[in-house]
């Protein structure tokens, strides 16, 4: 059935399985099964999926390393399964948080490209 379906990998689910996100993505990409990424993050100390917007530049760079290494997506892509959080549910706040998440992933992509050019 794998030829008919692709996997959606979620950052905090990798954490909960005691794996790194890079490991989960690499295994799925190498199997030709990586279809999309829920690029939200969780809280490693809490022990369950809290669906927060991404803020870790190192993690964003690792995500983009795998995506760029497989030549990008042919289906699916990056999305956020993040919650608005607390009582701050205005459209402006939601837009700002989503924009910040995309900015972090774009910065991770830039960090990966610089690293590839310098060999580091």
């Amino acid at each position: 059935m794998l030829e008919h379906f692709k996997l959606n990998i979620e950052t905090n689910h990798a954490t909960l399985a005691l794996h790194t996100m890079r490991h989960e993505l690499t295994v799925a990409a190498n199997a030709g099964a990586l279809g999309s990424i829920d690029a939200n993050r969780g809280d490693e100390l809490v022990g369950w999926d809290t669906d927060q917007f991404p803020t870790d530049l190192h993690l964003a760079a690792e995500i983009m390393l795998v995506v760029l290494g497989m030549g990008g997506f042919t289906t699916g892509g990056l999305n956020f399964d993040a919650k608005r959080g607390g009582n701050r549910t205005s459209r402006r706040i939601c837009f700002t948080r989503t924009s910040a998440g995309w900015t972090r992933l774009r910065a991770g992509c830039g960090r990966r490209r610089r690293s590839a050019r310098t060999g580091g």
Side-chain angles (χ1 to χ4, degrees):
M1 290 181 48
L2 194 55
E3 68 264 8
H4 301 291
F5 296 96
K6 300 292 182 189
L7 300 175
N8 176 57
I9 305 296
E10 185 165 338
T11 306
N12 203 49
H13 291 181
T15 304
L16 295 174
L18 303 178
H19 296 150
T20 65
M21 183 60 169
R22 185 172 181 178
H23 166 79
E24 296 284 299
L25 293 174
T26 301
V27 169
N30 288 345
L34 181 57
S36 62
I37 299 171
D38 278 342
N40 53 295
R41 68 176 181 88
D43 187 328
E44 295 179 17
L45 299 177
V46 172
W48 64 81
D49 193 351
T50 55
D51 289 339
Q52 301 170 53
F53 287 93
T55 57
D56 183 345
L57 181 58
H58 180 72
L59 177 59
E62 287 191 336
I63 288 171
M64 297 313 295
L65 170 70
V66 176
V67 171
L68 293 172
M70 64 179 227
F73 288 106
T74 56
T75 61
L78 294 160
N79 64 74
F80 299 119
D81 183 24
K83 308 296 186 277
R84 293 189 255 186
N87 60 358
R88 300 172 184 248
T89 59
S90 75
R91 288 183 184 188
R92 182 176 59 85
I93 290 172
C94 290
F95 175 80
T96 301
R97 289 179 179 172
T98 302
S99 178
W102 283 117
T103 299
R104 182 60 49 190
L105 290 169
R106 188 186 73 224
C109 187
R111 176 179 265 198
R112 170 60 193 127
R113 286 183 182 163
R114 283 189 301 280
S115 173
R117 281 196 306 259
T118 62

